[in-house]
Amino acid sequence: MQALLDAAQRDVVARVADLATSRFAPRAAGYDESATFPAEDFDDLFAAGLHAPAVPVQYGGLGYGPYTDDVFTLWMMTKEIAKADLSLARCWEGHSNSQVMLAGMADDDQKARWFEGIVERGDKWVAWSGEPQARTPEQKGRLGTIVEPVDGGYVVSGTKVFATSAPAADWALLLVNTAGPGGARHAEGPVESILALACQLSDPSISFDASWWNPIGMRATVSYLVNFDGTRIPREQVIGYPGQYLKEGWQTCFIPHYAASFLGAAEGAYEYALDYLKTQNKGADPYVQHRVARMALNVETAHLWLRRVATLWESGEHDEAQRIGARARYVIEMLAMQVLDDCIRACGARCLNRPSPVERLYRDLSIYVRHDNADQILATIGKQLLGQPHDPSFFKP
Ligand SMILES: Cc1cc2nc3c(=O)[nH]c(=O)nc-3n(C[C@H](O)[C@H](O)[C@H](O)COP(=O)(O)OP(=O)(O)OC[C@H]3O[C@@H](n4cnc5c(N)ncnc54)[C@H](O)[C@@H]3O)c2cc1C
């Protein structure tokens, strides 16, 4: 896939790949087992000058993003990270997606303040919407936040879940709803009721419930339940105008970014399988040959889809980029899941025996692809083609 990048892009991606291979991959099993945030990995990214990928160049960052002339390098950085550790990639995505949002929605004073924190001090950011409203059978109370306007800002009370990097991040971009609980993803009501608020997570009114997070995979994302006990957000920390996140389709910038992580998991499994099968001299088996070929074709196809979407963003064809981005997200989920399946069928049971990285990738990918619902993504693509109204951000039915 080197041919898809120019020399300067290759250099940046190679630096990430080096770190991923030498530092992140060896630590991944430990973070997964203890379900702890990959703090040392973030320290390494900061020390290597790779911590501010989507902070504009004039603020000291690398300047990548969908509204610049280069988003593909960012996605390939993410892919390399995901190959080593999909949980780390989710934390990294949240951090870099927040930078994209600040670059596009924050005012100049906000940018100067928050980008300095990222570039100079290594501040970590996240973006949190998750407030699912449908209860699970075992769920006791209702999830979600209430947002009240007060003199000089807003007060946020209640809970969010799936709050990636919760105990480790410095700042969160809260997507909340003044019309009632639901964040942005699960919101009802007018679009204008969705606000983006920057929240400093050291505020004593904020607490984290780690007991909520005991999933099959993506354990090191520490995507806890967060409780806001009357958290005050001053007006200077309100980002953009009411409803901007949905009206301008900011979520569509991040939909292919998830796919870049899925691709990383797939490529990790493919490379593992190739090495495993060669070591075991199983290459003469025609079924093995088929599965190796299909894994390679899937990985290559996924790269080409991402390159296609990136080119649309980079050339300013934003409407088309948003439309095709959903297709890429759907196709790459299918391709990646098939690669994992091929890898496991070709390699056999021992590749699912710890500490095999395939065992972790399999668990991680199986929950991470649930971040959106592939059935609803496909329905959304169908609605687009049929000229029907649809939700390009969260693919709501
Ligand atoms: C590892 C991980 C990390 C995450 N990190 C973050 C993060 O940092 N920030 C963040 O904002 N979010 C994050 N998310 C949360 C994610 O965005 C979703 O909010 C979360 O997956 C919703 O949980 P759920 O699938 O259990 O529930 P639901 O949202 O209830 O969805 C369950 C299923 O029901 C479907 N559904 C929903 N409504 C309807 C309906 N009316 N009719 C029919 N079907 C419906 C959905 O499409 C879905 O398939 C993360 C998710 C994961 C898995």
Side-chain angles (χ1 to χ4, degrees), residues 21 53 77 117 159 233 268 290 321 345 361:
T21 313
M77 293 167 85
T159 50
I233 309 284
H290 273 203
R345 286 174 194 270
L361 283 174

PDB file of all heavy atoms in Angstrom, residues 21 53 77 117 159 233 268 290 321 345 361:
ATOM      1  N   THR A  21       5.097  -1.258  16.275  1.00  0.00           N
ATOM      2  CA  THR A  21       5.716  -2.584  16.314  1.00  0.00           C
ATOM      3  C   THR A  21       6.602  -2.764  17.545  1.00  0.00           C
ATOM      4  O   THR A  21       6.542  -3.793  18.219  1.00  0.00           O
ATOM      5  CB  THR A  21       6.582  -2.791  15.045  1.00  0.00           C
ATOM      6  OG1 THR A  21       5.812  -2.393  13.922  1.00  0.00           O
ATOM      7  CG2 THR A  21       7.001  -4.233  14.880  1.00  0.00           C
ATOM      8  N   PRO A  53      -2.014  15.184  15.536  1.00  0.00           N
ATOM      9  CA  PRO A  53      -2.080  14.941  14.097  1.00  0.00           C
ATOM     10  C   PRO A  53      -3.023  15.881  13.352  1.00  0.00           C
ATOM     11  O   PRO A  53      -2.765  16.217  12.201  1.00  0.00           O
ATOM     12  CB  PRO A  53      -2.577  13.491  13.996  1.00  0.00           C
ATOM     13  CG  PRO A  53      -3.327  13.258  15.267  1.00  0.00           C
ATOM     14  CD  PRO A  53      -2.577  14.049  16.302  1.00  0.00           C
ATOM     15  N   MET A  77      -2.040   6.452   9.742  1.00  0.00           N
ATOM     16  CA  MET A  77      -1.436   6.431  11.089  1.00  0.00           C
ATOM     17  C   MET A  77      -2.313   5.590  12.020  1.00  0.00           C
ATOM     18  O   MET A  77      -1.830   4.731  12.763  1.00  0.00           O
ATOM     19  CB  MET A  77      -1.336   7.860  11.658  1.00  0.00           C
ATOM     20  CG  MET A  77      -0.362   8.767  10.924  1.00  0.00           C
ATOM     21  SD  MET A  77      -0.583  10.515  11.395  1.00  0.00           S
ATOM     22  CE  MET A  77       0.426  10.624  12.865  1.00  0.00           C
ATOM     23  N   GLY A 117      -2.325  23.366  24.738  1.00  0.00           N
ATOM     24  CA  GLY A 117      -2.318  22.269  25.716  1.00  0.00           C
ATOM     25  C   GLY A 117      -1.972  20.937  25.076  1.00  0.00           C
ATOM     26  O   GLY A 117      -1.243  20.127  25.649  1.00  0.00           O
ATOM     27  N   THR A 159     -25.580  11.147  33.344  1.00  0.00           N
ATOM     28  CA  THR A 159     -24.560  10.151  32.999  1.00  0.00           C
ATOM     29  C   THR A 159     -24.382   9.977  31.489  1.00  0.00           C
ATOM     30  O   THR A 159     -25.330  10.121  30.715  1.00  0.00           O
ATOM     31  CB  THR A 159     -24.959   8.765  33.554  1.00  0.00           C
ATOM     32  OG1 THR A 159     -26.307   8.504  33.168  1.00  0.00           O
ATOM     33  CG2 THR A 159     -24.820   8.691  35.044  1.00  0.00           C
ATOM     34  N   ILE A 233     -20.280  24.505  32.828  1.00  0.00           N
ATOM     35  CA  ILE A 233     -19.467  24.742  31.622  1.00  0.00           C
ATOM     36  C   ILE A 233     -19.616  26.227  31.266  1.00  0.00           C
ATOM     37  O   ILE A 233     -20.697  26.671  30.865  1.00  0.00           O
ATOM     38  CB  ILE A 233     -19.966  23.889  30.420  1.00  0.00           C
ATOM     39  CG1 ILE A 233     -20.106  22.402  30.792  1.00  0.00           C
ATOM     40  CG2 ILE A 233     -19.054  24.108  29.214  1.00  0.00           C
ATOM     41  CD1 ILE A 233     -18.838  21.620  30.887  1.00  0.00           C
ATOM     42  N   GLY A 268      -3.470  -6.659  10.616  1.00  0.00           N
ATOM     43  CA  GLY A 268      -2.732  -7.344  11.683  1.00  0.00           C
ATOM     44  C   GLY A 268      -2.988  -8.847  11.634  1.00  0.00           C
ATOM     45  O   GLY A 268      -2.061  -9.654  11.751  1.00  0.00           O
ATOM     46  N   HIS A 290      -6.515 -20.298  -0.794  1.00  0.00           N
ATOM     47  CA  HIS A 290      -7.708 -19.468  -1.006  1.00  0.00           C
ATOM     48  C   HIS A 290      -7.858 -18.422   0.090  1.00  0.00           C
ATOM     49  O   HIS A 290      -8.121 -17.250  -0.178  1.00  0.00           O
ATOM     50  CB  HIS A 290      -8.962 -20.356  -1.022  1.00  0.00           C
ATOM     51  CG  HIS A 290      -9.279 -20.922  -2.358  1.00  0.00           C
ATOM     52  ND1 HIS A 290     -10.540 -21.333  -2.727  1.00  0.00           N
ATOM     53  CD2 HIS A 290      -8.496 -21.144  -3.438  1.00  0.00           C
ATOM     54  CE1 HIS A 290     -10.525 -21.781  -3.971  1.00  0.00           C
ATOM     55  NE2 HIS A 290      -9.285 -21.683  -4.414  1.00  0.00           N
ATOM     56  N   ALA A 321     -17.963  12.884  -0.521  1.00  0.00           N
ATOM     57  CA  ALA A 321     -17.121  12.218   0.485  1.00  0.00           C
ATOM     58  C   ALA A 321     -17.987  11.673   1.616  1.00  0.00           C
ATOM     59  O   ALA A 321     -17.773  10.554   2.103  1.00  0.00           O
ATOM     60  CB  ALA A 321     -16.093  13.199   1.043  1.00  0.00           C
ATOM     61  N   ARG A 345      -9.818 -19.663  10.529  1.00  0.00           N
ATOM     62  CA  ARG A 345     -10.062 -20.966   9.877  1.00  0.00           C
ATOM     63  C   ARG A 345      -8.764 -21.535   9.302  1.00  0.00           C
ATOM     64  O   ARG A 345      -8.552 -22.750   9.323  1.00  0.00           O
ATOM     65  CB  ARG A 345     -11.109 -20.811   8.773  1.00  0.00           C
ATOM     66  CG  ARG A 345     -12.500 -20.648   9.310  1.00  0.00           C
ATOM     67  CD  ARG A 345     -13.475 -20.358   8.187  1.00  0.00           C
ATOM     68  NE  ARG A 345     -14.747 -19.882   8.692  1.00  0.00           N
ATOM     69  CZ  ARG A 345     -15.774 -20.670   9.008  1.00  0.00           C
ATOM     70  NH1 ARG A 345     -15.665 -21.965   8.899  1.00  0.00           N
ATOM     71  NH2 ARG A 345     -16.901 -20.149   9.448  1.00  0.00           N
ATOM     72  N   LEU A 361      -7.457  -9.413  18.839  1.00  0.00           N
ATOM     73  CA  LEU A 361      -8.050  -8.690  17.697  1.00  0.00           C
ATOM     74  C   LEU A 361      -9.487  -9.155  17.450  1.00  0.00           C
ATOM     75  O   LEU A 361     -10.376  -8.353  17.149  1.00  0.00           O
ATOM     76  CB  LEU A 361      -7.219  -8.938  16.431  1.00  0.00           C
ATOM     77  CG  LEU A 361      -5.913  -8.167  16.293  1.00  0.00           C
ATOM     78  CD1 LEU A 361      -5.150  -8.634  15.054  1.00  0.00           C
ATOM     79  CD2 LEU A 361      -6.169  -6.672  16.192  1.00  0.00           C
TER      80      LEU A 361
END
